[in-house]
Amino acid sequence: MRTGLVTTPFGRRPMTLALVKGQLQSSDDRIGRPVEKWKVFRDISEARQLLGLHDRALAVLDALLTFYPSNELTAGAKLVVFPSNAQLSVRAHGIAGTTLRRHLAALVEAGLIHRRDSPNGKRYAHRGIGGQIDDAYGFSLEPLLLRAGELAGLAQQVAAEKIRFKRAKEALTLCRRDIRKLLTAAVEEGADGDWCMMEDLYHALIARLPRSPNRKIVETILVEMGNLREQIVNCLEMQIKTEKTDTNDIQNGCHIQNSDPESIYELEPRFEKELGAKVEPTKITQRETPKAFPLGLVLRACPQILDYASGGGIGHWRDFIGTAILVRSVLGVSPSAYQQACEVMGPENAAVAVACILERAGHINSPGGYLRDLTTKAERGEFSLGRMLMALVRANAGETTMQAG
């Protein structure tokens, strides 16, 4: 039996079976080769969260290690340090006495040091004739020697977790960038697809990210974000294949006829009356009308136009164009400026441009002049209505977030 290898704490501090187990393990003759104390300390610092330690506890452990003269912890050596609380407080950067005692208890609880209390609870050493230490009472550093390998493994585990977390965050950042730019490109170039729904899915995923997410949350969102990106790419890929097929058909002599070239202007008969001129069908067929954006996306970007809608709702492009004509009049845009925009952009996109101007009316001095400028740029291919829409979508999303907060 090895009863002399276990010591009990002084005073009211209780003895536990965990302390007995730790002291017996520390006294095992199979303790390995010497270890460098500061390397063990660095491993503990890396693994402090796994060990349940705070930064102040590390400061106390650092101070304890400075009282051990050698840089190596060796089996068979006297690994007990015996500084007073006053000395420890100084080396622990002036930590208060109650805080010091609490973190010493945390180090003992974590199994990193053991108490070796004297009969009166004070810390001191018995020295021989030559000044060497024969026996000492204080804190034993033997657990650090015993657990050096385990602590190194914990530190490596934490380091690997940090790398995995960092790469997950990087992958999520790249995925977010891909989705953002793919959606913008799809909307700007008028690609077919329910981009409004995909935009909603994207913002819903972003909203699920807390301010300080952990790795599991990031990886979960990354999987769903990756699925959304794949869905967007597949949709665009199908459209590219369809366009390629259509191009081949045209090159082979196929002719696609517009069954109703005047239907665009027939959506809103009041428009012809307001302009005071009859639209010539030949002009419509000569100009290639740009593809309209999804109505749901436009209403998300330009919600103010709903204030002017009959009944407060817009369900079809016919309603939207009619409301845009009313807004055109409210903004003071001349009929000629609006007609020119319709000829260049198409009636739907001209109405969208007016709705965008309404959203930014407080920052635009002359809405009519601004619309003419946009029309001129669009005719030269220098203006992207899709980019303006996406900027308004993001701006409105930011305002909604601030209001919710």
Side-chain angles (χ1 to χ4, degrees):
M1 297 184 63
R2 300 182 292 176
T3 55
L5 302 177
V6 175
T7 62
T8 57
F10 173 78
R12 296 182 178 179
R13 287 193 296 269
M15 186 63 182
T16 64
L17 294 181
L19 293 177
V20 174
K21 179 181 177 182
Q23 292 185 41
L24 288 175
Q25 288 177 333
S26 296
S27 301
D28 199 320
D29 294 333
R30 293 174 294 175
I31 293 177
R33 57 188 174 83
V35 297
E36 205 272 308
K37 66 180 182 181
W38 296 119
K39 181 184 182 305
V40 179
F41 178 76
R42 287 191 295 271
D43 291 339
I44 293 172
S45 299
E46 284 290 326
R48 66 183 180 277
Q49 291 185 342
L50 296 179
L51 296 168
L53 297 176
H54 297 286
D55 292 342
R56 285 292 187 90
L58 294 180
V60 173
L61 180 59
D62 176 80
L64 280 173
L65 290 175
T66 62
F67 286 98
Y68 185 73
S70 174
N71 279 332
E72 285 191 340
L73 303 176
T74 308
K78 301 295 183 180
L79 297 179
V80 177
V81 292
F82 43 91
S84 65
N85 282 353
Q87 291 172 316
L88 262 179
S89 177
V90 170
R91 295 201 188 183
H93 311 292
I95 190 170
T98 53
T99 305
L100 176 67
R101 288 190 290 273
R102 185 170 71 253
H103 289 300
L104 283 171
L107 291 172
V108 173
E109 184 70 23
L112 298 178
I113 60 174
H114 288 158
R115 294 183 187 272
R116 194 168 189 274
D117 287 347
S118 66
N120 61 4
K122 296 186 179 297
R123 300 172 203 145
Y124 57 86
H126 293 300
R127 298 182 183 272
I129 298 176
Q132 76 281 4
I133 296 178
D134 291 336
D135 202 2
Y137 299 99
F139 297 102
S140 173
L141 304 179
E142 277 189 338
L144 301 182
L145 177 61
L146 172 71
R147 300 180 62 188
E150 175 196 348
L151 295 170
L154 291 176
Q156 291 174 2
Q157 178 182 335
V158 171
E161 174 68 15
K162 286 182 179 178
I163 293 174
R164 186 176 175 184
F165 188 25
K166 179 182 178 182
R167 293 188 177 164
K169 289 192 293 184
E170 288 176 349
L172 181 60
T173 298
L174 292 174
C175 192
R176 290 178 61 177
R177 184 181 71 190
D178 291 345
I179 292 174
R180 182 73 274 155
K181 289 183 177 290
L182 287 170
L183 284 176
T184 300
V187 172
E188 286 181 357
E189 299 184 23
D192 290 331
D194 194 351
W195 309 121
C196 186
M197 179 271 292
M198 295 183 186
E199 180 85 13
D200 288 339
L201 286 177
Y202 172 76
H203 285 293
L205 289 174
I206 296 300
R208 286 169 50 191
L209 276 173
R211 186 178 296 274
S212 300
N214 57 36
R215 178 182 56 80
K216 290 184 179 180
I217 294 177
V218 171
E219 288 182 342
T220 300
I221 298 296
L222 176 60
V223 170
E224 298 184 41
M225 199 78 77
N227 292 335
L228 177 59
R229 177 175 59 185
E230 184 178 357
Q231 183 180 355
I232 295 171
V233 171
N234 289 340
C235 187
L236 293 174
E237 184 180 9
M238 290 177 59
Q239 177 151 334
I240 291 171
K241 290 179 179 179
T242 302
E243 291 177 352
K244 185 177 180 181
T245 303
D246 293 343
T247 302
N248 291 337
D249 290 343
I250 293 173
Q251 290 175 351
N252 291 333
C254 295
H255 177 65
I256 300 176
Q257 182 177 358
N258 187 345
S259 60
D260 192 0
E262 298 184 51
S263 61
I264 294 176
Y265 282 91
E266 288 175 356
L267 285 173
E268 183 50 64
R270 290 179 295 171
F271 177 63
E272 295 182 11
K273 182 178 179 182
E274 182 178 3
L275 297 181
K278 185 177 181 180
V279 180
E280 298 181 10
T282 54
K283 290 184 180 180
I284 301 174
T285 56
Q286 289 173 355
R287 181 179 298 279
E288 181 181 355
T289 303
K291 188 176 293 185
F293 299 96
L295 183 58
L297 178 65
V298 172
L299 292 176
R300 279 187 56 197
C302 310
Q304 292 188 39
I305 196 171
L306 293 170
D307 296 337
Y308 298 87
S310 177
I314 294 177
H316 305 282
W317 275 109
R318 181 192 301 274
D319 303 330
F320 188 87
I321 293 175
T323 306
I325 292 174
L326 173 62
V327 171
R328 189 275 306 162
S329 177
V330 172
L331 292 174
V333 177
S334 67
S336 61
Y338 189 51
Q339 179 183 10
Q340 184 183 9
C342 288
E343 292 174 353
V344 172
M345 304 180 191
E348 291 91 346
N349 289 338
V352 172
V354 170
C356 290
I357 292 174
L358 176 64
E359 289 294 318
R360 303 289 295 167
H363 305 277
I364 299 174
N365 294 328
S366 174
Y370 189 70
L371 180 61
R372 287 188 184 276
D373 183 56
L374 295 183
T375 302
T376 302
K377 290 181 178 179
E379 199 165 20
R380 296 197 301 258
E382 299 174 356
F383 168 62
S384 171
L385 184 58
R387 188 167 298 170
M388 177 182 286
L389 276 175
M390 297 308 293
L392 287 172
V393 167
R394 288 191 288 270
N396 290 336
E399 290 178 3
T400 303
T401 302
M402 287 190 293
Q403 292 174 359

